Amino acid sequence: MHHFYYAEGRLHCEGIDLDRIADEIGTPVYVYSTATFVRHANVLKEAFRGQDVLIAYSVKANGNLAVLATLAAEGCGADVVSGGEMQRALTAGIPASRIVFSGVGKTAAEMKLALEAGIHQFNVESAGELKLLSRVAAGLGLAAPVALRVNPDVAAGGHPNISTGKAGDKFGVPWTEAEALYDEAGRLPGIRVVGVDVHIGSQIGELAPMRAAFEKVVGLALRLRAQGHAITRIDVGGGLGIPYRSSDSPAPPADYAAMIAEATAGHGFEVILEPGRVIAGNAGVLLTTALYEKQAPDRTFLIVDAGMNDLMRPALYGAHHEILPLAEPAANSAYKSYDVVGPICESTDKFATGRDLPEVQPGDRLAFMSAGAYGAVLSSAYNARPLVPEVLVHGDRYSVVRRRPDFEDMIRLEEVPDWIRTKA
Ligand code: LLP
């Protein structure tokens, strides 16, 4: 469910004609819908009525401050994987008491930052990390609230690059070693064991593998309690998929949340969710302008002004994003097959191969749909292209929430050492 639709022949985001944003801000540009973020956060929240739940939005999906502030106002917390993400969350008004810190490679400096801020939970992924966290916390005279991220050895399906819950993945503590590590955690200074954490992958459309993982984890939590650990929290990670194609039908968010509520109910656990894509994915689009059509012997290239530096997902994962013209196609429009490519000097700078689109003329504008998660956050300034700007729509208003850098901004952090003499 999202708030991008055709009205009077033009693609809109809520009450705003997207052409207006393209005119006023230029392309490429990301556009986000406040109503979509809010709706997704609330669908998840509603399934847990009467149960203790923390919706810790996964900042990595879209960490724009305005997006985080929108979700903070809905009562969301944050799942962060770096000191920078934590500072973003805090800056956007998410209290430390609603932040969980995940990730396999936390540094001592990041641990210190998080401990001093008073974050809700560290999701610890290895014995080495546990020992370091113990030293850092004890050194500060603090106790780190810890859940161990366990690897339930469940295949989640989906793209191998984003599957994380099988034995052999780099993530989590192996299932067979988890109880021994909890024992060790229970004895370490500076560590307060509070929960069990799991995350089996991303863009998962089926509930069955998730349910299997969560049931295993609840079983483990109950065994740990019986062994004397004060386990009060179950963190189920993120991972629910979204429909990128109209033919996709991933489990609806309400069913997903209801499944979690059911699988974890009855034991007084605080349930923590770390949704990223399901909240942000369909809340954003990337607008682009067609530059040229180029005919090759066997195909037609459509060269657009967005590149793989602006939206990496097709190049990284072969991901599919629907492409909609901003001008609604007439019912009888002629369709043509295009390879839609960007201006970057890389063969992987390709958004779609053999995509049937209503005929496109140079100057026409298009929207890459479902680009709100893992879009802007993965963008770069490769080929010295300015980092793509971001716009947030709210009803019939919009605001630039990250402006397009000018050339001065782009070179601000660089310096030419004084031993280099340029010839006059
Ligand atoms: N929690 C942890 C520990 C994670 O590693 C992730 C995502 C999430 C939560 C949020 O997962 P979500 O609800 O968004 O599926 N760049 C890739 C996706 C990478 C996901 C990484 N971890 C993509 O564009 O498909």
Side-chain angles (χ1 to χ4, degrees):
M1 156 94 210
H2 61 71
H3 297 77
F4 296 88
Y5 60 95
Y6 286 111
E8 289 162 11
R10 317 293 314 169
L11 191 61
H12 282 64
C13 173
E14 303 188 25
I16 298 275
D17 181 343
L18 288 171
D19 255 316
R20 192 180 134 205
I21 294 176
D23 284 342
E24 293 175 4
I25 311 302
T27 57
V29 60
Y30 277 95
V31 180
Y32 307 132
S33 157
T34 300
T36 309
F37 286 120
V38 169
R39 178 181 157 84
H40 289 160
N42 283 310
V43 165
L44 295 179
K45 257 191 328 209
E46 274 159 24
F48 290 89
R49 272 183 204 287
Q51 225 173 318
D52 193 4
V53 70
L54 171 61
I55 310 288
Y57 167 67
S58 197
V59 173
K60 66 171 79 68
N62 185 328
N64 185 285
L65 288 181
V67 170
L68 298 181
T70 299
L71 293 169
E74 295 307 311
C76 288
D79 160 50
V80 303
V81 291
S82 69
E85 283 192 353
M86 190 184 78
Q87 283 174 306
R88 280 187 169 275
L90 292 170
T91 304
I94 298 175
S97 60
R98 302 179 76 75
I99 298 178
V100 300
F101 197 154
S102 304
V104 291
K106 302 177 195 77
T107 65
E110 288 175 323
M111 291 172 178
K112 183 163 179 279
L113 208 64
L115 284 163
E116 285 172 341
I119 64 155
H120 191 53
Q121 178 168 305
F122 287 88
N123 290 332
V124 169
E125 299 222 12
S126 65
E129 183 192 336
L130 184 66
K131 287 194 186 92
L132 179 60
L133 182 58
S134 162
R135 275 209 300 281
V136 175
L140 292 168
L142 296 170
V146 164
L148 295 185
R149 173 169 172 186
V150 294
N151 184 333
D153 194 16
V154 166
H159 194 283
N161 288 8
I162 49 178
S163 161
T164 55
K166 274 298 284 173
D169 290 330
K170 77 172 176 184
F171 299 98
V173 175
W175 187 253
T176 48
E177 293 164 29
E179 286 176 58
L181 198 57
Y182 269 99
D183 254 11
E184 190 177 340
R187 287 194 301 269
L188 282 172
I191 298 291
R192 181 164 63 91
V193 172
V194 295
V196 185
D197 170 46
V198 68
H199 169 83
I200 61 170
S202 197
Q203 188 53 19
I204 302 170
E206 307 270 316
L207 295 185
M210 294 199 264
R211 182 190 283 273
F214 303 159
E215 283 171 356
K216 272 182 97 166
V217 163
V218 168
L220 173 63
L222 296 177
R223 281 201 301 285
L224 291 167
R225 265 187 185 171
Q227 291 160 22
H229 296 286
I231 303 288
T232 57
R233 308 175 189 167
I234 300 280
D235 183 334
V236 297
L240 182 62
I242 61 165
Y244 282 101
R245 294 175 157 85
S246 45
S247 56
D248 288 346
S249 52
D255 294 6
Y256 163 76
M259 177 276 286
I260 296 170
E262 192 188 306
T264 55
H267 309 288
F269 292 121
E270 176 198 359
V271 181
I272 303 176
L273 275 68
E274 302 171 0
R277 190 189 319 262
V278 71
I279 287 184
N282 286 328
V285 301
L286 172 64
L287 305 186
T288 190
T289 304
L291 297 175
Y292 307 104
E293 181 177 306
K294 181 170 165 175
Q295 197 56 53
D298 64 337
R299 65 193 63 216
T300 306
F301 289 106
L302 181 67
I303 304 172
V304 299
D305 71 353
M308 63 185 280
N309 69 302
D310 303 310
L311 176 61
M312 284 281 282
R313 302 192 67 260
L316 266 182
Y317 317 110
H320 177 99
H321 288 267
E322 294 287 351
I323 301 174
L324 294 184
L326 295 204
E328 186 173 16
N332 59 352
S333 335
Y335 276 67
K336 192 166 163 175
S337 171
Y338 295 100
D339 280 15
V340 182
V341 301
I344 302 278
C345 307
E346 303 267 356
S347 308
T348 48
D349 185 23
K350 184 177 263 193
F351 294 109
T353 304
R355 184 75 64 91
D356 285 331
L357 295 175
E359 265 190 68
V360 181
Q361 303 301 324
D364 287 355
R365 286 163 177 160
L366 305 166
F368 292 102
M369 305 305 290
S370 312
Y374 308 107
V377 280
L378 278 165
S379 65
S380 78
Y382 185 42
N383 279 196
R385 289 163 53 81
L387 213 53
V388 57
E390 298 168 272
V391 162
L392 181 65
V393 172
H394 181 40
D396 54 8
R397 286 180 291 171
Y398 80 84
S399 178
V400 176
V401 293
R402 182 173 79 186
R403 70 174 172 82
R404 195 186 309 277
D406 60 23
F407 183 64
E408 282 300 309
D409 294 325
M410 290 173 68
I411 59 170
R412 181 159 296 148
L413 300 177
E414 295 175 40
E415 225 161 302
V416 179
D418 58 9
W419 71 77
I420 300 171
R421 298 266 168 265
T422 44
K423 286 189 184 138

